[in-house]
Amino acid sequence: PVSAQTAAPAKKWNFLTDVYLMFPNMDGEMGKGDLLSVPVDANPGDIFSKLKMAAMLYVEAKTGKWAVTSDLVYMNLTQVVTPGTLFHSGQITAKEFIWEPAGFYRILPFCEVGIGGRLTSLATDIDVRRNVFPGTEEVTASGSKTWFDPVIITRLIADINDKWLFQFRGDVGGFGIGSDLTWQLQAYAGYRFGKVFQLTAGYRILSIDYDKGIDEERFVYNIETFGPVLRFGFNF
């Protein structure tokens, strides 16, 4: 008898680690308790001049049809309140942690669909002077909140000659489970310089609309964060 031994092909996993920077703009409002929501409108210069700490890390593992990703963002910043009709002066301090785990399945060579989540943890301190006739009054508030939003994701990917990289990602979620609504758009173009290192640049928009509780328990975070992104990637 003739016997033959054929080894089953092992699944090959590829790993990507991205350390990245975002040059953010913020627009929206924040509030705690019965304090009127304080408007936030900051550009990259405002944020980086007040930025105390920022860390951003993306990790992806993929094989064939499947991919698993993790995206971590942490920012600690202080924003001065722009004088207006309601508020005379003051500042807002916010510590923000966001973790986005996700899983994807490739349905076409260039298209993946996935499900995941966005865990958001915020700690805010508000110290402002509110306009009251005939002068102003000091109002302070602080609070923290953590919630999880399920999200549905679509990702389009193109890899040309294993050198030029293009990606578009969109997601939507919340649905009242955590936030009322959250959505995100990301678009990137990059170049792989060798087997290990790649450089990617793009743009990211993240919107979170969270408004829960009443009276003293009310917590408002209705913010869009958007701006260019620069990513330094390492493949293994």
Side-chain angles (χ1 to χ4, degrees):
V2 179
S3 62
Q5 183 177 0
T6 303
K11 292 183 179 180
K12 182 180 179 181
W13 285 88
N14 298 307
F15 299 91
L16 168 66
T17 299
D18 267 334
V19 179
Y20 66 97
L21 300 172
M22 183 177 182
F23 304 91
N25 297 263
M26 297 180 73
D27 185 35
E29 59 180 5
M30 297 170 58
K32 174 65 176 68
D34 56 2
L35 174 68
L36 290 174
S37 298
V38 180
V40 177
D41 183 8
N43 60 44
D46 294 332
I47 291 177
F48 281 110
S49 66
K50 304 295 189 301
L51 195 63
K52 296 178 180 178
M53 181 179 180
M56 301 178 184
L57 178 66
Y58 176 85
V59 178
E60 177 171 341
K62 62 180 179 180
T63 178
K65 295 282 189 178
W66 298 94
V68 179
T69 67
S70 172
D71 195 359
L72 291 170
V73 177
Y74 176 80
M75 288 194 297
N76 182 354
L77 58 91
T78 299
Q79 173 61 32
V80 175
V81 175
T82 303
T85 304
L86 296 177
F87 295 96
H88 177 269
S89 59
Q91 68 178 26
I92 297 174
T93 300
K95 296 179 181 178
E96 179 179 24
F97 171 84
I98 298 175
W99 177 45
E100 298 180 350
F104 293 89
Y105 180 75
R106 180 169 295 182
I107 58 175
L108 294 171
F110 59 89
C111 180
E112 297 175 338
V113 295
I115 58 174
R118 185 148 41 244
L119 177 69
T120 303
S121 182
L122 284 168
T124 62
D125 288 293
I126 301 172
D127 185 0
V128 297
R129 296 202 68 85
R130 184 164 51 188
N131 293 321
V132 293
F133 184 81
T136 63
E137 66 174 359
E138 184 176 7
V139 181
T140 61
S142 62
S144 61
K145 190 69 66 173
T146 300
W147 67 90
F148 183 81
D149 293 313
V151 295
I152 302 170
I153 315 162
T154 299
R155 188 165 69 166
L156 306 178
I157 299 175
D159 188 338
I160 302 176
N161 297 326
D162 203 30
K163 290 291 185 181
W164 293 99
L165 313 171
F166 301 92
Q167 183 181 132
F168 174 83
R169 168 180 164 151
D171 68 56
V172 62
F175 313 117
I177 297 173
S179 61
D180 296 327
L181 178 67
T182 180
W183 58 268
Q184 181 173 220
L185 297 175
Q186 300 184 59
Y188 300 104
Y191 185 81
R192 185 176 292 127
F193 292 90
K195 292 183 178 180
V196 176
F197 180 68
Q198 67 185 49
L199 182 65
T200 309
Y203 203 85
R204 182 175 187 171
I205 305 173
L206 171 61
S207 176
I208 300 176
D209 184 1
Y210 183 93
D211 188 342
K212 299 287 187 180
I214 58 175
D215 299 330
E216 292 297 326
E217 298 301 319
R218 187 177 183 225
F219 191 93
V220 178
Y221 184 81
N222 183 7
I223 296 289
E224 289 185 5
T225 304
F226 52 96
V229 178
L230 186 62
R231 307 172 72 124
F232 305 88
F234 302 89
N235 295 277
F236 303 96

